[in-house]
Amino acid sequence: MVPFPISVAELLGFNGYIPPYANARGRTILNGVNYASAAAGIRDETGRQLGARISFGGQFTPEQYASVLIQQYSRNLREVYNYGARKFVLNGIGQIGCSPNALANSRDGSTCVERINSANRLFNSQLISLVDTLNRDLPDAKFIYINNYGIFQDFITNPRSFGFTVTNAGCCGVGRNNGQITCLPGQRPCQNRNEHVFWDAFHPTEAANVIVGRRSYNAQSRSDAYPMDINQLAQL
């Protein structure tokens, strides 16, 4: 399956993909490495199955938690800037409340969970403001925002215009909406994966990733990217 970063890398004209950090050795690291890690997030505790965690509900309101994330993200980005990076693509959060996992726990299995999507929008709004702040404070760098939330809204609202017929269930998974447990080893996926928005409980299909990548690279609407798309950023 082609994930979003590889889709964009192909559009940028890369002949090969940077290696994962875990496998990089020697001077290979100087050419760039992929730090992607399943369930990794802005905060260190994100995705941990064991050990101390901060309870979202017990510690913060959604607004406060979004602010905490943005503050940490800002520090992380400034640190990367200090290492020499000058072009940044900041991806907004998609509609997690419309994922099969969220729908599996919803009342009817088809209506997106507004409580989750509302929190996503709060974060995205602050992320756009962060783009403006960093572009102002670091004028020799350029930061852009990709509106994943809006792109996925198009998938959910007008699925057939993108070739999708299934928006509320994973192609591979277990339980209601194929979203209660993610795809298991050896499990047979659906045969019409290109018609699904979601591959499993959380992740988009290759078909969805390719569309997101294309719209991130060449914005199809003014809301897809801010203040410019990846193609324009690459030409600076």
Side-chain angles (χ1 to χ4, degrees):
M1 184 175 72
V2 175
F4 166 76
I6 291 180
S7 174
V8 173
E10 291 176 346
L11 291 169
L12 286 168
F14 285 95
N15 294 322
Y17 310 125
I18 57 176
Y21 173 74
N23 297 337
R25 297 292 183 273
R27 297 187 62 83
T28 301
I29 295 177
L30 299 179
N31 295 323
V33 293
N34 184 352
Y35 288 97
S37 177
I42 295 172
R43 296 185 65 90
D44 290 341
E45 70 270 13
T46 302
R48 288 183 181 173
Q49 297 183 3
L50 299 173
R53 298 177 65 90
I54 294 179
S55 169
F56 178 92
Q59 299 289 337
F60 304 103
T61 66
E63 293 85 353
Q64 291 170 334
Y65 194 67
S67 295
V68 168
L69 292 177
I70 291 295
Q71 290 167 14
Q72 179 64 59
Y73 199 18
S74 177
R75 290 192 291 269
N76 294 345
L77 291 168
R78 290 173 187 271
E79 184 175 0
V80 176
Y81 168 85
N82 289 334
Y83 281 116
R86 290 297 181 268
K87 296 181 180 180
F88 297 80
V89 178
L90 309 188
N91 283 282
I93 299 177
Q95 296 195 5
I96 299 176
C98 299
S99 67
N101 182 260
L103 295 176
N105 296 292
S106 69
R107 179 174 301 178
D108 60 6
S110 61
T111 303
C112 296
V113 181
E114 175 58 21
R115 174 181 58 83
I116 299 175
N117 281 345
S118 175
N120 298 158
R121 292 194 299 271
L122 285 170
F123 176 84
N124 289 339
S125 177
Q126 294 193 33
L127 187 59
I128 294 172
S129 296
L130 178 61
V131 165
D132 288 334
T133 297
L134 293 173
N135 281 329
R136 182 193 66 227
D137 294 349
L138 307 172
D140 61 332
K142 180 60 69 175
F143 295 78
I144 70 170
Y145 167 81
I146 301 300
N147 183 18
N148 287 324
Y149 190 99
I151 296 173
F152 269 86
Q153 178 67 54
D154 289 346
F155 292 167
I156 302 301
T157 304
N158 302 298
R160 292 191 178 276
S161 64
F162 300 97
F164 298 125
T165 61
V166 183
T167 63
N168 66 338
C171 175
C172 188
V174 177
R176 190 183 190 195
N177 297 78
N178 277 350
Q180 291 179 292
I181 300 176
T182 195
C183 192
L184 299 175
Q187 184 177 355
R188 180 175 295 180
C190 66
Q191 295 184 345
N192 61 334
R193 65 186 67 185
N194 287 336
E195 297 179 12
H196 281 247
V197 172
F198 289 96
W199 167 252
D200 58 17
F202 303 101
H203 301 95
T205 57
E206 178 176 327
N209 280 330
V210 167
I211 295 172
V212 174
R214 288 173 179 169
R215 289 180 61 168
S216 301
Y217 185 75
N218 280 316
Q220 294 182 10
S221 70
R222 295 182 63 181
S223 64
D224 282 352
Y226 172 81
M228 64 184 68
D229 57 33
I230 294 176
N231 185 24
Q232 294 168 316
L233 176 67
Q235 296 180 42
L236 294 179

